[in-house]
Amino acid sequence: MRTEDLILAAQVRELAAELRHQHAYSTKKEMDARLPPEQHESIEDFMDKYRAAHPVAKFVPEAMQKLEKVSEVIQAYMKTHPQN
């Protein structure tokens, strides 16, 4: 593998992990809104169950789409703003 491939893979993993994290917190917030307070789980317990049910690989396609969009925006900017 080339260095660029390894860097891209690391960026995808980081973005996928961030997407999973955001989804987990929004899911927890929605659950807490529906359940009575005595049924709320601690964030640690919830995250343990969430990680088991939602592997980070599930979020890789969305991460790839986001990175592709970022790449398109950067390329468009570089075309319209050439560096001297």
Side-chain angles (χ1 to χ4, degrees):
M1 287 188 102
R2 297 182 330 212
T3 302
E4 293 84 9
D5 296 334
L6 295 173
I7 291 170
L8 179 59
Q11 290 172 330
V12 168
R13 279 192 307 272
E14 285 179 28
L15 184 53
E18 178 62 28
L19 291 169
R20 179 174 72 169
H21 190 75
Q22 289 173 3
H23 185 258
Y25 275 98
S26 67
T27 302
K28 170 92 169 92
K29 190 174 178 180
E30 289 172 12
M31 278 182 45
D32 286 350
R34 288 193 312 260
L35 296 173
E38 62 273 5
Q39 292 183 351
H40 291 186
E41 290 183 277
S42 73
I43 192 67
E44 294 83 14
D45 291 342
F46 175 81
M47 289 303 287
D48 287 343
K49 291 176 188 174
Y50 186 91
R51 285 186 195 103
H54 297 83
V56 77
K58 176 181 176 181
F59 295 90
V60 167
E62 186 179 349
M64 287 296 294
Q65 288 175 341
K66 287 184 181 292
L67 284 175
E68 286 173 14
K69 182 63 179 169
V70 168
S71 177
E72 290 171 11
V73 169
I74 290 171
Q75 289 174 15
Y77 177 83
M78 291 179 76
K79 285 179 186 173
T80 60
H81 296 81
Q83 302 295 316
N84 294 340

Coordinates of all heavy atoms in Angstrom, one line a residue:
M1 N 0.8 -1.2 0.0 CA 0.0 0.0 0.0 C 0.9 1.2 0.0 O 1.9 1.3 0.6 CB -0.9 0.0 1.2 CG -2.0 -0.9 1.2 SD -3.1 -0.6 2.7 CE -4.4 0.3 1.8
R2 N 0.4 2.2 -0.7 CA 1.1 3.5 -0.7 C 0.8 4.3 0.6 O -0.2 4.0 1.2 CB 0.6 4.3 -1.9 CG 1.0 3.7 -3.2 CD 0.6 4.6 -4.4 NE -0.6 5.4 -4.0 CZ -1.5 5.8 -4.8 NH1 -1.5 5.4 -6.1 NH2 -2.6 6.5 -4.5
T3 N 1.6 5.2 0.9 CA 1.4 6.1 2.1 C 0.1 6.8 2.0 O -0.7 6.9 3.0 CB 2.5 7.1 2.2 OG1 3.8 6.4 2.3 CG2 2.4 8.0 3.4
E4 N -0.3 7.3 0.8 CA -1.5 8.0 0.6 C -2.7 7.1 0.9 O -3.7 7.6 1.5 CB -1.7 8.5 -0.9 CG -0.7 9.6 -1.2 CD 0.7 9.0 -1.7 OE1 0.8 7.8 -1.9 OE2 1.6 9.8 -1.8
D5 N -2.6 5.8 0.5 CA -3.7 4.9 0.8 C -3.9 4.7 2.3 O -5.0 4.6 2.9 CB -3.5 3.5 0.2 CG -3.5 3.6 -1.3 OD1 -4.2 4.6 -1.9 OD2 -2.9 2.8 -2.0
L6 N -2.8 4.6 3.0 CA -2.8 4.4 4.5 C -3.4 5.7 5.2 O -4.2 5.6 6.1 CB -1.4 4.1 5.0 CG -0.8 2.8 4.6 CD1 0.7 2.7 5.0 CD2 -1.6 1.6 5.1
I7 N -3.0 6.8 4.7 CA -3.5 8.1 5.2 C -5.0 8.2 5.0 O -5.8 8.5 5.9 CB -2.8 9.3 4.7 CG1 -1.4 9.4 5.1 CG2 -3.5 10.6 5.0 CD1 -0.5 10.4 4.4
L8 N -5.5 7.8 3.8 CA -6.9 7.9 3.5 C -7.7 6.9 4.4 O -8.7 7.2 4.9 CB -7.2 7.6 2.0 CG -8.6 7.5 1.6 CD1 -9.3 8.9 1.9 CD2 -8.7 7.2 0.1
A9 N -7.1 5.7 4.5 CA -7.8 4.7 5.4 C -7.9 5.2 6.8 O -8.9 5.0 7.4 CB -7.0 3.4 5.3
A10 N -6.9 5.8 7.3 CA -6.9 6.3 8.7 C -8.0 7.4 8.8 O -8.7 7.5 9.8 CB -5.5 6.9 9.1
Q11 N -8.0 8.3 7.8 CA -9.0 9.4 7.8 C -10.5 8.8 7.7 O -11.4 9.3 8.4 CB -8.8 10.3 6.6 CG -7.6 11.2 6.8 CD -7.2 12.0 5.5 OE1 -7.5 11.5 4.4 NE2 -6.6 13.1 5.7
V12 N -10.7 7.8 6.9 CA -12.0 7.1 6.9 C -12.3 6.5 8.2 O -13.5 6.7 8.7 CB -12.0 6.1 5.7 CG1 -13.3 5.2 5.8 CG2 -11.9 6.7 4.4
R13 N -11.4 5.8 8.8 CA -11.7 5.2 10.1 C -12.0 6.3 11.2 O -13.0 6.1 12.0 CB -10.5 4.4 10.6 CG -10.4 3.0 10.0 CD -9.4 2.1 10.7 NE -8.1 2.7 10.9 CZ -7.1 2.6 9.9 NH1 -7.3 1.9 8.9 NH2 -6.0 3.2 10.1
E14 N -11.3 7.4 11.2 CA -11.6 8.5 12.1 C -12.9 9.1 11.9 O -13.7 9.3 12.8 CB -10.5 9.6 12.0 CG -9.2 9.2 12.6 CD -8.1 10.3 12.5 OE1 -8.5 11.5 12.4 OE2 -6.9 10.0 12.4
L15 N -13.2 9.3 10.6 CA -14.5 9.9 10.3 C -15.7 9.0 10.6 O -16.7 9.4 11.2 CB -14.6 10.4 8.9 CG -15.8 11.1 8.4 CD1 -16.2 12.3 9.3 CD2 -15.7 11.6 7.0
A16 N -15.5 7.7 10.3 CA -16.5 6.7 10.6 C -16.7 6.6 12.1 O -17.9 6.5 12.6 CB -16.1 5.3 10.1
A17 N -15.7 6.7 12.9 CA -15.8 6.6 14.4 C -16.5 7.9 14.9 O -17.4 7.8 15.8 CB -14.4 6.5 15.0
E18 N -16.3 9.0 14.3 CA -17.0 10.2 14.7 C -18.4 10.2 14.3 O -19.3 10.6 15.1 CB -16.3 11.5 14.0 CG -17.0 12.8 14.4 CD -17.0 13.1 15.8 OE1 -16.1 12.7 16.6 OE2 -18.0 13.8 16.2
L19 N -18.7 9.6 13.2 CA -20.1 9.5 12.8 C -20.9 8.5 13.7 O -22.0 8.8 14.1 CB -20.2 9.0 11.3 CG -19.8 10.0 10.2 CD1 -19.7 9.3 8.9 CD2 -20.8 11.1 10.2
R20 N -20.2 7.4 14.1 CA -20.8 6.5 15.0 C -21.1 7.2 16.3 O -22.1 7.0 17.0 CB -19.9 5.2 15.2 CG -20.5 4.2 16.2 CD -19.8 3.0 16.3 NE -18.5 3.1 16.9 CZ -17.8 2.1 17.3 NH1 -18.1 0.9 17.1 NH2 -16.6 2.3 17.9
H21 N -20.1 7.9 16.8 CA -20.2 8.6 18.1 C -21.4 9.6 18.1 O -22.2 9.6 19.0 CB -18.9 9.4 18.3 CG -18.8 9.9 19.7 ND1 -18.5 9.2 20.8 CD2 -18.9 11.2 20.1 CE1 -18.5 10.0 21.9 NE2 -18.7 11.2 21.5
Q22 N -21.5 10.4 17.0 CA -22.6 11.3 16.9 C -24.0 10.6 16.8 O -24.9 11.0 17.5 CB -22.5 12.1 15.6 CG -21.4 13.1 15.7 CD -21.1 13.8 14.3 OE1 -21.9 13.6 13.4 NE2 -20.1 14.7 14.3
H23 N -24.0 9.5 16.1 CA -25.3 8.7 16.0 C -25.6 8.1 17.4 O -26.8 8.1 17.8 CB -25.1 7.6 14.9 CG -26.4 6.8 14.7 ND1 -26.6 5.6 15.2 CD2 -27.5 7.2 14.0 CE1 -27.8 5.2 14.9 NE2 -28.3 6.1 14.1
A24 N -24.6 7.6 18.1 CA -24.9 7.0 19.4 C -25.5 8.1 20.3 O -26.4 7.8 21.0 CB -23.6 6.5 20.0
Y25 N -24.9 9.3 20.4 CA -25.4 10.3 21.3 C -26.8 10.7 20.9 O -27.7 10.9 21.8 CB -24.5 11.5 21.4 CG -23.4 11.2 22.4 CD1 -22.1 10.8 22.0 CD2 -23.7 11.4 23.8 CE1 -21.2 10.5 23.0 CE2 -22.7 11.2 24.7 CZ -21.4 10.7 24.3 OH -20.5 10.5 25.3
S26 N -27.1 10.8 19.6 CA -28.4 11.2 19.2 C -29.4 10.1 19.5 O -30.6 10.4 20.0 CB -28.5 11.6 17.7 OG -28.3 10.5 16.9
T27 N -29.0 8.9 19.4 CA -29.9 7.7 19.7 C -30.1 7.7 21.2 O -31.3 7.5 21.6 CB -29.2 6.4 19.3 OG1 -29.0 6.4 17.9 CG2 -30.1 5.2 19.6
K28 N -29.1 7.9 22.0 CA -29.3 8.0 23.5 C -30.2 9.1 23.9 O -31.1 8.9 24.7 CB -27.9 8.1 24.2 CG -28.0 8.4 25.6 CD -27.9 7.2 26.4 CE -27.6 7.4 27.9 NZ -28.8 7.5 28.7
K29 N -30.1 10.2 23.3 CA -30.9 11.4 23.6 C -32.4 11.1 23.2 O -33.3 11.4 24.0 CB -30.4 12.6 22.8 CG -31.1 13.9 23.2 CD -30.4 15.0 22.5 CE -31.1 16.4 22.9 NZ -30.5 17.5 22.2
E30 N -32.6 10.4 22.1 CA -34.0 10.1 21.7 C -34.6 9.0 22.6 O -35.7 9.1 23.0 CB -34.0 9.5 20.3 CG -33.7 10.5 19.2 CD -33.5 9.9 17.8 OE1 -33.8 8.7 17.6 OE2 -33.1 10.7 16.9
M31 N -33.8 8.1 23.0 CA -34.2 7.0 24.0 C -34.6 7.7 25.3 O -35.6 7.3 25.9 CB -33.2 6.0 24.2 CG -33.1 4.9 23.1 SD -31.9 3.6 23.4 CE -32.1 3.2 25.2
D32 N -33.7 8.5 25.8 CA -34.0 9.2 27.1 C -35.3 10.0 27.1 O -36.0 10.1 28.1 CB -32.8 10.0 27.5 CG -31.6 9.2 28.0 OD1 -31.8 7.9 28.2 OD2 -30.5 9.7 28.2
A33 N -35.6 10.6 25.9 CA -36.8 11.4 25.8 C -38.0 10.5 25.8 O -39.1 11.0 26.3 CB -36.7 12.2 24.5
R34 N -37.9 9.3 25.4 CA -39.1 8.4 25.4 C -39.3 7.6 26.7 O -40.4 7.2 27.0 CB -38.9 7.4 24.2 CG -39.1 8.0 22.8 CD -39.3 6.9 21.8 NE -38.3 5.9 21.8 CZ -37.2 5.8 21.1 NH1 -37.0 6.7 20.2 NH2 -36.4 4.8 21.2
L35 N -38.2 7.4 27.4 CA -38.3 6.5 28.6 C -38.4 7.4 29.8 O -37.8 8.5 29.9 CB -37.0 5.7 28.7 CG -36.8 4.6 27.6 CD1 -35.4 4.0 27.7 CD2 -37.9 3.6 27.6
P36 N -39.0 6.8 30.8 CA -39.1 7.5 32.1 C -37.6 7.6 32.7 O -36.8 6.7 32.4 CB -40.0 6.7 33.0 CG -40.2 5.4 32.3 CD -39.8 5.6 30.8
P37 N -37.4 8.6 33.6 CA -36.0 8.7 34.1 C -35.4 7.5 34.8 O -34.2 7.2 34.7 CB -36.1 9.9 35.1 CG -37.3 10.7 34.6 CD -38.2 9.7 34.0
E38 N -36.3 6.7 35.4 CA -35.8 5.5 36.2 C -35.3 4.4 35.2 O -34.6 3.5 35.6 CB -36.8 4.9 37.1 CG -38.1 4.5 36.5 CD -39.2 5.5 36.3 OE1 -38.9 6.7 36.6 OE2 -40.3 5.2 35.9
Q39 N -35.6 4.6 33.9 CA -35.2 3.6 32.9 C -34.0 4.1 32.1 O -33.5 3.3 31.2 CB -36.3 3.2 32.0 CG -37.4 2.4 32.7 CD -38.5 1.9 31.7 OE1 -38.5 2.4 30.6 NE2 -39.4 1.1 32.2
H40 N -33.5 5.2 32.4 CA -32.3 5.8 31.6 C -31.1 5.0 32.0 O -30.9 4.7 33.2 CB -32.1 7.2 31.9 CG -33.2 8.1 31.4 ND1 -33.1 9.5 31.4 CD2 -34.3 7.9 30.8 CE1 -34.1 10.0 30.9 NE2 -34.9 9.1 30.5
E41 N -30.3 4.6 31.0 CA -29.0 3.9 31.3 C -27.9 5.0 31.4 O -28.0 6.1 30.9 CB -28.7 3.1 30.1 CG -29.5 1.9 29.8 CD -29.0 1.1 28.6 OE1 -29.3 1.4 27.5 OE2 -28.3 0.1 28.9
S42 N -26.9 4.6 32.1 CA -25.7 5.4 32.1 C -25.1 5.5 30.7 O -25.3 4.5 29.9 CB -24.6 4.9 33.1 OG -24.0 3.7 32.5
I43 N -24.4 6.5 30.4 CA -23.8 6.6 29.0 C -22.8 5.5 28.8 O -22.7 5.0 27.6 CB -23.2 8.0 28.8 CG1 -22.8 8.2 27.3 CG2 -21.9 8.2 29.7 CD1 -24.0 8.3 26.4
E44 N -22.1 5.1 29.8 CA -21.1 4.0 29.6 C -21.8 2.7 29.3 O -21.4 2.0 28.3 CB -20.3 3.8 30.9 CG -19.4 4.9 31.2 CD -20.1 6.1 32.0 OE1 -21.2 5.9 32.5 OE2 -19.5 7.2 32.0
D45 N -22.9 2.3 30.0 CA -23.7 1.1 29.7 C -24.3 1.2 28.3 O -24.2 0.2 27.5 CB -24.8 0.9 30.7 CG -24.2 0.5 32.1 OD1 -23.0 0.1 32.2 OD2 -25.0 0.6 33.0
F46 N -24.8 2.3 28.0 CA -25.4 2.5 26.6 C -24.4 2.3 25.5 O -24.6 1.6 24.5 CB -26.1 3.8 26.5 CG -26.7 4.1 25.1 CD1 -27.9 3.6 24.7 CD2 -25.9 4.9 24.2 CE1 -28.4 3.8 23.5 CE2 -26.4 5.1 22.9 CZ -27.6 4.5 22.6
M47 N -23.2 3.0 25.7 CA -22.2 2.9 24.7 C -21.6 1.5 24.5 O -21.3 1.1 23.4 CB -21.1 3.9 25.0 CG -21.5 5.4 24.8 SD -22.1 5.8 23.2 CE -20.6 5.7 22.2
D48 N -21.5 0.8 25.6 CA -21.1 -0.6 25.5 C -22.0 -1.4 24.6 O -21.6 -2.2 23.7 CB -21.0 -1.3 26.8 CG -19.8 -0.8 27.6 OD1 -18.9 -0.2 27.0 OD2 -19.8 -1.0 28.9
K49 N -23.3 -1.3 24.8 CA -24.3 -2.0 24.0 C -24.3 -1.5 22.6 O -24.5 -2.2 21.6 CB -25.7 -1.8 24.6 CG -25.9 -2.6 25.9 CD -27.2 -2.3 26.5 CE -27.3 -2.9 27.9 NZ -28.6 -2.5 28.5
Y50 N -24.2 -0.1 22.4 CA -24.2 0.5 21.1 C -23.1 0.0 20.3 O -23.2 -0.3 19.1 CB -24.2 2.0 21.3 CG -24.4 2.7 19.9 CD1 -25.7 3.0 19.5 CD2 -23.3 3.0 19.1 CE1 -25.9 3.7 18.2 CE2 -23.5 3.6 17.9 CZ -24.8 3.9 17.5 OH -24.9 4.5 16.2
R51 N -21.9 0.0 20.8 CA -20.7 -0.5 20.1 C -20.8 -1.9 19.6 O -20.4 -2.2 18.5 CB -19.4 -0.3 20.9 CG -19.0 1.1 21.1 CD -17.6 1.2 21.8 NE -17.4 2.5 22.3 CZ -17.6 3.0 23.5 NH1 -17.9 2.2 24.5 NH2 -17.3 4.3 23.8
A52 N -21.4 -2.7 20.4 CA -21.6 -4.1 20.1 C -22.6 -4.2 18.9 O -22.5 -5.1 18.0 CB -22.1 -4.9 21.3
A53 N -23.6 -3.4 18.9 CA -24.7 -3.5 17.9 C -24.3 -2.7 16.6 O -24.9 -3.0 15.6 CB -26.0 -3.0 18.5
H54 N -23.4 -1.7 16.7 CA -23.1 -0.9 15.6 C -21.6 -0.8 15.4 O -21.0 0.1 15.8 CB -23.7 0.5 15.8 CG -25.1 0.6 15.9 ND1 -25.8 0.4 17.1 CD2 -26.1 0.9 15.0 CE1 -27.1 0.5 16.9 NE2 -27.3 0.8 15.6
P55 N -21.0 -1.8 14.7 CA -19.6 -1.7 14.4 C -19.2 -0.5 13.6 O -20.1 0.0 12.8 CB -19.3 -3.0 13.7 CG -20.6 -3.5 13.1 CD -21.7 -2.9 14.0
V56 N -18.0 0.0 13.8 CA -17.6 1.2 13.0 C -17.7 1.0 11.5 O -17.9 1.9 10.8 CB -16.2 1.7 13.5 CG1 -15.1 0.8 13.0 CG2 -16.0 3.1 13.2
A57 N -17.5 -0.2 11.1 CA -17.5 -0.5 9.6 C -18.9 -0.1 9.0 O -18.9 0.2 7.8 CB -17.2 -2.0 9.4
K58 N -19.9 -0.2 9.8 CA -21.2 0.2 9.3 C -21.3 1.7 8.8 O -22.0 2.0 7.9 CB -22.3 0.0 10.4 CG -23.7 0.5 10.1 CD -24.6 0.2 11.3 CE -26.0 0.8 11.0 NZ -26.9 0.6 12.1
F59 N -20.4 2.5 9.4 CA -20.4 3.9 9.1 C -19.3 4.3 8.0 O -19.3 5.5 7.6 CB -20.1 4.7 10.4 CG -21.3 4.6 11.3 CD1 -21.2 3.6 12.3 CD2 -22.3 5.4 11.3 CE1 -22.3 3.4 13.2 CE2 -23.4 5.3 12.2 CZ -23.4 4.3 13.1
V60 N -18.6 3.3 7.5 CA -17.6 3.6 6.5 C -18.1 4.1 5.2 O -17.6 5.1 4.7 CB -16.7 2.3 6.3 CG1 -15.8 2.5 5.0 CG2 -15.8 2.1 7.5
P61 N -19.2 3.6 4.7 CA -19.8 4.1 3.4 C -20.1 5.6 3.5 O -19.8 6.4 2.7 CB -21.0 3.3 3.1 CG -20.7 2.0 3.8 CD -20.0 2.3 5.0
E62 N -20.8 6.0 4.7 CA -21.1 7.4 4.9 C -19.8 8.2 5.0 O -19.8 9.4 4.5 CB -22.0 7.5 6.1 CG -22.5 8.9 6.3 CD -23.4 9.1 7.6 OE1 -23.8 8.1 8.2 OE2 -23.7 10.2 7.9
A63 N -18.8 7.7 5.7 CA -17.6 8.4 5.8 C -16.9 8.6 4.4 O -16.4 9.7 4.2 CB -16.6 7.7 6.7
M64 N -16.9 7.6 3.6 CA -16.4 7.7 2.3 C -17.1 8.8 1.5 O -16.5 9.6 0.8 CB -16.4 6.4 1.5 CG -15.4 5.4 2.1 SD -13.7 5.9 1.8 CE -13.6 5.9 0.0
Q65 N -18.4 8.8 1.6 CA -19.2 9.8 0.8 C -18.9 11.2 1.3 O -18.7 12.2 0.5 CB -20.7 9.6 1.0 CG -21.2 8.4 0.3 CD -22.7 8.1 0.6 OE1 -23.2 8.6 1.6 NE2 -23.3 7.4 -0.3
K66 N -18.7 11.4 2.6 CA -18.4 12.7 3.1 C -17.0 13.2 2.7 O -16.8 14.3 2.3 CB -18.5 12.7 4.7 CG -19.9 12.7 5.2 CD -19.9 12.8 6.7 CE -21.4 12.8 7.2 NZ -22.2 13.9 6.8
L67 N -16.0 12.2 2.7 CA -14.7 12.6 2.2 C -14.6 12.9 0.7 O -13.9 13.8 0.3 CB -13.7 11.4 2.6 CG -13.3 11.3 4.0 CD1 -12.4 10.1 4.2 CD2 -12.5 12.6 4.4
E68 N -15.4 12.1 0.0 CA -15.5 12.4 -1.5 C -16.0 13.8 -1.7 O -15.5 14.6 -2.6 CB -16.4 11.4 -2.2 CG -15.7 10.0 -2.3 CD -16.6 9.0 -2.9 OE1 -17.7 9.3 -3.4 OE2 -16.2 7.8 -2.8
K69 N -17.1 14.2 -1.0 CA -17.6 15.6 -1.1 C -16.6 16.6 -0.7 O -16.4 17.6 -1.4 CB -18.9 15.7 -0.2 CG -19.6 17.0 -0.4 CD -20.1 17.3 -1.8 CE -20.8 18.6 -1.9 NZ -21.0 19.0 -3.3
V70 N -15.9 16.4 0.4 CA -14.8 17.3 0.8 C -13.8 17.4 -0.3 O -13.3 18.5 -0.6 CB -14.2 16.9 2.1 CG1 -12.9 17.7 2.4 CG2 -15.2 17.1 3.3
S71 N -13.4 16.3 -0.9 CA -12.4 16.3 -1.9 C -12.9 17.1 -3.1 O -12.1 17.9 -3.7 CB -12.1 14.9 -2.3 OG -11.2 14.9 -3.4
E72 N -14.1 17.0 -3.5 CA -14.7 17.7 -4.6 C -14.7 19.2 -4.4 O -14.3 20.0 -5.2 CB -16.1 17.3 -4.9 CG -16.3 15.9 -5.5 CD -17.7 15.4 -5.5 OE1 -18.7 16.2 -5.3 OE2 -17.9 14.2 -5.8
V73 N -15.0 19.6 -3.1 CA -15.0 21.0 -2.8 C -13.6 21.6 -2.8 O -13.4 22.7 -3.4 CB -15.7 21.2 -1.4 CG1 -15.4 22.6 -0.9 CG2 -17.1 20.9 -1.4
I74 N -12.6 20.8 -2.3 CA -11.2 21.3 -2.3 C -10.7 21.4 -3.8 O -10.1 22.4 -4.1 CB -10.4 20.3 -1.5 CG1 -10.7 20.5 0.0 CG2 -8.9 20.6 -1.8 CD1 -10.0 19.4 0.9
Q75 N -11.1 20.4 -4.6 CA -10.6 20.5 -6.0 C -11.2 21.7 -6.7 O -10.6 22.3 -7.5 CB -10.9 19.2 -6.7 CG -10.0 18.0 -6.2 CD -10.5 16.7 -6.8 OE1 -11.2 16.6 -7.8 NE2 -9.9 15.6 -6.3
A76 N -12.5 21.9 -6.5 CA -13.2 23.0 -7.1 C -12.5 24.3 -6.7 O -12.3 25.3 -7.5 CB -14.7 23.0 -6.8
Y77 N -12.2 24.4 -5.4 CA -11.6 25.7 -4.9 C -10.2 25.9 -5.5 O -9.9 27.0 -5.9 CB -11.5 25.6 -3.3 CG -10.8 26.8 -2.8 CD1 -11.5 27.9 -2.5 CD2 -9.4 26.7 -2.5 CE1 -10.8 29.1 -1.9 CE2 -8.8 27.8 -2.0 CZ -9.5 29.0 -1.7 OH -8.8 30.1 -1.2
M78 N -9.5 24.8 -5.6 CA -8.1 24.9 -6.1 C -8.2 25.3 -7.6 O -7.3 26.0 -8.1 CB -7.4 23.6 -5.9 CG -7.0 23.4 -4.5 SD -6.2 21.8 -4.2 CE -4.5 22.3 -4.8
K79 N -9.2 24.9 -8.4 CA -9.3 25.2 -9.8 C -9.7 26.7 -9.9 O -9.2 27.4 -10.8 CB -10.4 24.4 -10.4 CG -9.9 23.0 -10.7 CD -11.0 22.2 -11.4 CE -10.6 20.7 -11.5 NZ -11.7 19.9 -12.0
T80 N -10.5 27.2 -9.0 CA -10.9 28.6 -9.1 C -10.0 29.6 -8.4 O -10.1 30.8 -8.6 CB -12.3 28.8 -8.5 OG1 -12.3 28.4 -7.2 CG2 -13.4 28.0 -9.3
H81 N -9.1 29.1 -7.5 CA -8.2 29.9 -6.8 C -6.8 29.3 -7.0 O -6.2 28.8 -6.0 CB -8.5 30.0 -5.3 CG -9.8 30.6 -5.0 ND1 -11.0 30.0 -5.2 CD2 -10.1 31.9 -4.7 CE1 -12.0 30.8 -4.9 NE2 -11.5 32.0 -4.6
P82 N -6.2 29.5 -8.1 CA -4.8 28.9 -8.3 C -3.8 29.5 -7.4 O -3.8 30.7 -7.2 CB -4.5 29.1 -9.8 CG -5.5 30.2 -10.2 CD -6.6 30.2 -9.3
Q83 N -2.9 28.7 -7.0 CA -1.8 29.1 -6.1 C -0.7 29.6 -7.0 O -0.3 28.9 -7.9 CB -1.4 28.0 -5.2 CG -2.4 27.5 -4.3 CD -3.0 28.5 -3.3 OE1 -2.2 29.2 -2.7 NE2 -4.3 28.6 -3.2
N84 N -0.1 30.8 -6.7 CA 1.0 31.3 -7.5 C 2.3 30.8 -7.0 O 2.6 30.6 -5.9 CB 1.0 32.8 -7.5 CG -0.3 33.3 -8.2 OD1 -0.8 32.6 -9.0 ND2 -0.6 34.6 -7.9

